[in-house]
Amino acid sequence: MIALASQYAALPEHFFARLAPTQVARPRLIQFNRVLAEELALDIQDHSDEQLAAIFSGNLIPAGANPVAMAYAGHQFGGFVPQLGDGRAILLGEVRDNAGQWRDVHLKGSGRTPYSRGGDGRAALGPVLREYIVSEAMHAFGIPTTRSLAAVSTGEAVIREGRLPGAILTRVAKSHVRVGTFQYFAARGDAAAIRQLADFCIGRLYPSLAAGEQPYLALLKAVIAGQAQLIARWMQVGFIHGVMNTDNMAVSAESIDFGPCAFMDSYDPATVFSSIDSRGRYAYANQPHAAAWNLARFAEALLSCIDTVPERAIELVTAPLEQFEALYSYNWLEGMRRKIGLQYPSAEDPALVQGFLEAMQAGSADFTLSFRALCEAAQDDAAEGRTGYANLRALFVEPALLDAWIPAWRARLAAEPLSAPTRAQAMRSVNPLFIPRNHQVERVIRAAVEQEDFAPFARLLQILARPFEEQPGSEAFANPPQPQERVTQTFCGT
Ligand code: AMP
Ligand code: MG
């Protein structure tokens, strides 16, 4: 049986509401992440699927668990909501993983809580599968993210546009504390709670900061640095989160809350998928700005524990906030340089990277496949007209800018010592071949929802677990959508 600690639930009572998940009718295990279960050292080797379904639907509460719904607030599309909270989720408790890190075990779709407002507390199967796929793909890319441990169908219907099958996702995170959790207490003027929450986050996520002179300022700096790195990684795989509200930004700097998120097919910095983001606040290219804005809200919420004199506190947080842009740009450029095959920095790199992006945009080229084809063009380092370059060029509806860019890129590569095959191999390890394409995600969700066929979902997960490797027989999964397959909008599904 799984044993859980209850660290968050040991914080003061006004941090959460204590309640158990609502029982569901007929829990059935759809997917269980055994690799993650091992990493978490969960004692489940002798559990049947029925037992796992009972635990990860909330029907059977593990020993020691002290389930709570966490309180939080948040800015949603710029407007402050002083009380949000886990309206359809429950933190079951924590486990210590093999590396000694505490991780939250959290159920999403587990019934109404005091924070549900008008909602039913439930999740539909489609969004559960989507979050499972995308979070595990992010992990396979090496991007910090919450993980998916289990997906269970409930045997109950949820009412959305119509009746849909219900499901519950078990999500694992280093912590579910969000920028909005701090805002919840700041909005109530509860300085003691802010300090307790900050101490909790330092202890759980950034323990080395506790001994410093200014641990709360250091916490702010650590989150700024972590988010600068995280958002740069998103940009490098064409990921669009879709709802970067402050309640969806984790203090752990893990990607969290995969609602209407999506990966870009053809490159366009203005891309928006989310049906509720009508003004493009969270468009692809706006994500670094949205993150900086959220971090300023985080700093505001922390002011009272940074200095008792407000003016002094504001002065102290200003420089770290201003550093976000430089940190982000540094991380972005580091990753992009590797994506185009460069090993050593040079002053001309930003323009070179930008040139490739502009060529893709002008050529309506697929973001993921263009970088991947660039690996082959780097391997095939002889003159243009060889297959690597021809395959890259074929991705461009209009290749004029690409043709102009290639010689400058080749000249830059020639100035580096790496052999072409070694360089190409290094490039393949940072340029995924497989991403969770929208049309593929929608296809596996349709099969699950309409036919109760989970095999396509399992197959897609398997492919995305090794996104950088060619997988014979799965070539079609790398393809962008055909015009009739294109998905232009995604929905929260809440
Ligand atoms: P999200 O857009 O998923 O980040 O959720 C924003 C807020 O709405 C959070 O407080 C959620 O707990 C709440 N929420 C979303 N869906 C539901 C639902 N079906 N029932 C109750 N609360 C919900
Ligand atoms: Mg959320």
Side-chain angles (χ1 to χ4, degrees):
M1 186 67 179
I2 298 171
L4 294 175
S6 41
Q7 299 184 339
Y8 199 81
L11 287 167
E13 293 294 319
H14 62 301
F15 279 53
F16 44 73
R18 289 189 193 279
L19 80 163
T22 308
Q23 300 275 305
V24 303
R26 274 171 288 112
R28 211 186 101 203
L29 195 64
I30 297 170
Q31 190 73 28
F32 186 67
N33 191 338
R34 296 200 176 267
V35 178
L36 178 59
E38 262 174 45
E39 185 182 317
L40 299 177
L42 296 185
D43 185 14
I44 43 96
Q45 287 72 13
D46 56 355
H47 282 39
S48 65
D49 281 6
E50 286 69 32
Q51 285 171 305
L52 292 174
I55 296 170
F56 297 110
S57 61
N59 277 11
L60 184 66
I61 305 295
N66 227 317
V68 297
M70 294 166 72
Y72 55 84
H75 275 92
Q76 300 198 305
F77 290 90
F80 186 64
V81 184
Q83 180 164 315
L84 291 164
D86 287 332
R88 53 161 168 169
I90 297 273
L91 173 62
L92 280 181
E94 297 98 346
V95 290
R96 208 181 167 101
D97 70 18
N98 290 333
Q101 170 71 49
W102 287 98
R103 313 268 289 269
D104 285 358
V105 179
H106 164 113
L107 302 180
K108 189 168 176 183
S110 52
R112 288 182 54 81
T113 77
Y115 309 111
S116 295
R117 299 175 292 163
D120 62 359
R122 289 302 186 188
L125 176 60
V128 165
L129 299 186
R130 170 179 277 274
E131 174 153 355
Y132 199 120
I133 293 166
V134 178
S135 64
E136 289 305 298
M138 290 295 244
H139 172 71
F141 294 149
I143 299 179
T145 178
T146 63
R147 302 289 307 277
S148 294
L149 178 63
V152 174
S153 58
T154 59
E156 295 171 2
V158 297
I159 312 301
R160 295 294 181 261
E161 307 86 55
R163 283 166 67 85
L164 292 171
I168 295 176
L169 180 77
T170 303
R171 183 161 76 179
V172 172
K174 286 183 186 169
S175 164
H176 281 81
V177 173
R178 306 138 192 273
V179 167
T181 319
F182 281 87
Q183 290 182 295
Y184 178 85
F185 297 111
R188 286 157 181 76
D190 190 345
I194 295 170
R195 190 174 286 251
Q196 281 167 308
L197 186 63
D199 287 335
F200 175 85
C201 290
I202 291 171
R204 168 77 68 91
L205 302 168
Y206 307 100
S208 65
L209 306 181
E213 253 175 45
Q214 267 278 23
Y216 306 116
L217 186 60
L219 172 64
L220 173 66
K221 288 180 184 169
V223 177
I224 290 172
Q227 289 289 342
Q229 209 160 36
L230 179 66
I231 309 297
R233 300 293 311 272
W234 288 1
M235 300 300 276
Q236 286 153 7
V237 294
F239 177 73
I240 303 166
H241 182 283
V243 218
M244 290 178 68
N245 294 333
T246 56
D247 53 304
N248 292 339
M249 181 183 259
V251 171
S252 64
E254 294 169 295
S255 315
I256 190 170
D257 271 0
F258 302 93
C261 61
F263 288 79
M264 203 158 46
D265 294 305
S266 62
Y267 177 69
D268 178 358
T271 305
V272 176
F273 283 103
S274 169
S275 59
I276 54 171
D277 192 5
S278 52
R279 302 170 71 175
R281 180 181 171 95
Y282 301 134
Y284 173 76
N286 281 350
Q287 296 186 117
H289 309 288
W293 192 88
N294 289 348
L295 290 164
R297 307 290 78 75
F298 182 44
E300 277 166 12
L302 275 175
L303 286 178
S304 64
C305 61
I306 286 181
D307 202 295
T308 47
V309 181
E311 292 72 29
R312 226 162 36 212
I314 290 171
E315 207 180 297
L316 284 169
V317 303
T318 301
L321 284 173
E322 284 174 356
Q323 256 160 21
F324 175 83
E325 203 189 322
L327 282 172
Y328 166 76
S329 299
Y330 173 83
N331 284 299
W332 181 83
L333 185 59
E334 276 295 299
M336 293 310 261
R337 287 175 56 260
R338 280 203 300 278
K339 281 176 79 76
I340 65 166
L342 302 178
Q343 196 181 19
Y344 300 104
S346 150
E348 71 215 68
D349 297 347
L352 196 61
V353 169
Q354 207 54 48
F356 188 58
L357 294 174
E358 280 163 21
M360 271 193 283
Q361 191 179 357
S364 302
D366 185 81
F367 181 82
T368 304
L369 290 189
S370 295
F371 278 107
R372 189 72 184 188
L374 198 64
C375 310
E376 306 320 313
Q379 170 121 24
D380 184 14
D381 76 336
E384 323 317 358
R386 303 289 174 91
T387 48
Y389 179 59
N391 291 342
L392 171 63
R393 201 169 187 269
L395 298 169
F396 287 63
V397 176
E398 170 50 70
L401 286 188
L402 177 73
D403 290 339
W405 180 81
I406 289 283
W409 175 61
R410 295 240 191 255
R412 176 69 180 80
L413 293 187
E416 297 213 338
L418 278 188
S419 75
T422 309
R423 172 183 298 127
Q425 199 42 44
M427 288 172 73
R428 281 185 211 105
S429 74
V430 293
N431 288 309
L433 175 58
F434 299 104
I435 58 165
R437 302 253 180 200
N438 266 318
H439 66 292
Q440 296 287 2
V441 174
E442 296 291 328
R443 184 180 60 81
V444 309
I445 289 175
R446 266 198 314 276
V449 171
E450 291 167 13
Q451 278 131 42
E452 283 189 62
D453 179 4
F454 297 101
F457 166 69
R459 166 111 199 267
L460 184 60
L461 276 182
Q462 219 172 31
I463 291 167
L464 292 170
R466 293 181 292 130
F468 300 104
E469 289 172 36
E470 280 174 24
Q471 299 175 41
S474 301
E475 291 81 2
F477 287 84
N479 293 339
Q482 297 292 316
Q484 75 281 4
E485 293 176 315
R486 204 165 284 152
V487 177
T488 52
Q489 249 191 2
T490 50
F491 302 88
C492 288
T494 52

